[in-house]
Amino acid sequence: MRARLALAAIAALVCWCVAGVAPVAAKTIPACKTGQKSTVKKPCAASKAAPAAKSVPHWCPIVGATGNLGGNTGRAGGVAQTDGAIGSVSLDCTFTADGLTIQIPGHTFLSATPTLAGDTCSPNGDTVTCKLNVALQKQGLTIAGGWQNLINWKLTPSDPASNDVTNGSCGLTVVLTLTNAGATTYTKNAITACEFSAGDLLR
């Protein structure tokens, strides 16, 4: 009988001890401050650094300008473009621009026609000023990392290039300037090139 009482007393003591012990909360480690290293005495948790943003190159890798030798009867050159010498400028850029100017010093534009929806171009003397569709440019940047544009232009019938029976509008210096909010973001000189030179047979 005494043995039973002793065992019961021990069991009650064990239950009281277990029930009376409060659970130990997990110790939180503070985040490391700038320049702080975690040590045994002062541990801290290093935060994961956010990945560095990828830098987008600010360029127009392809800026081309083409000219035209005009209507002919089987040979390039030799016929004046009495309606006005024609040509075009193509762009392939990795940044947005809301404006473009095309200048051909010493020549006079008659008209300029953009091919991208929402763009408008106005000629004035030797310069064409275009307002560009930034929304479409952003779509191109998101999908392909760049955007393309083509502007077709025509010089006046009396322009020297329109009456040049040797080179037409080939070999003209074209100055391209892209702007954003009125500030110049990119400028480049190009030379109008033609598929054929004077005297080449057309195929």
Side-chain angles (χ1 to χ4, degrees), residues 70-164:
N72 50 70
T73 56
R75 287 185 180 273
V79 178
Q81 295 177 278
T82 55
D83 290 336
I86 61 175
S88 64
V89 170
S90 60
L91 306 173
D92 186 352
C93 305
T94 61
F95 55 92
T96 59
D98 59 15
L100 166 69
T101 60
I102 306 167
Q103 185 183 33
I104 305 181
H107 296 270
T108 307
F109 284 101
L110 176 66
S111 63
T113 306
T115 57
L116 198 62
D119 289 354
T120 59
C121 294
S122 301
N124 184 10
D126 69 352
T127 303
V128 168
T129 303
C130 300
K131 292 182 179 179
L132 306 180
N133 188 332
V134 176
L136 285 182
Q137 294 175 10
K138 289 181 178 179
Q139 287 183 18
L141 289 170
T142 301
I143 297 170
W147 55 271
Q148 296 180 341
N149 203 344
L150 176 68
I151 311 292
N152 295 308
W153 47 262
K154 178 182 281 192
L155 300 176
T156 60
S158 61
D159 187 271
S162 302
N163 296 279
D164 186 339

Side-chain angles (χ1 to χ4, degrees), residues 21-87:
V21 175
V24 178
K27 189 176 181 181
T28 58
I29 300 175
C32 296
K33 296 178 181 179
T34 305
Q36 180 184 0
K37 292 183 179 180
S38 181
T39 62
V40 176
K41 291 184 179 180
K42 291 184 178 181
C44 64
S47 59
K48 292 182 179 179
K54 292 182 178 179
S55 60
V56 178
H58 195 77
W59 64 348
C60 279
I62 300 173
V63 178
T66 59
N68 192 287
L69 288 168
N72 50 70
T73 56
R75 287 185 180 273
V79 178
Q81 295 177 278
T82 55
D83 290 336
I86 61 175

Side-chain angles (χ1 to χ4, degrees), residues 10-24:
I10 292 171
L13 180 62
V14 170
C15 289
W16 177 85
C17 291
V18 172
V21 175
V24 178

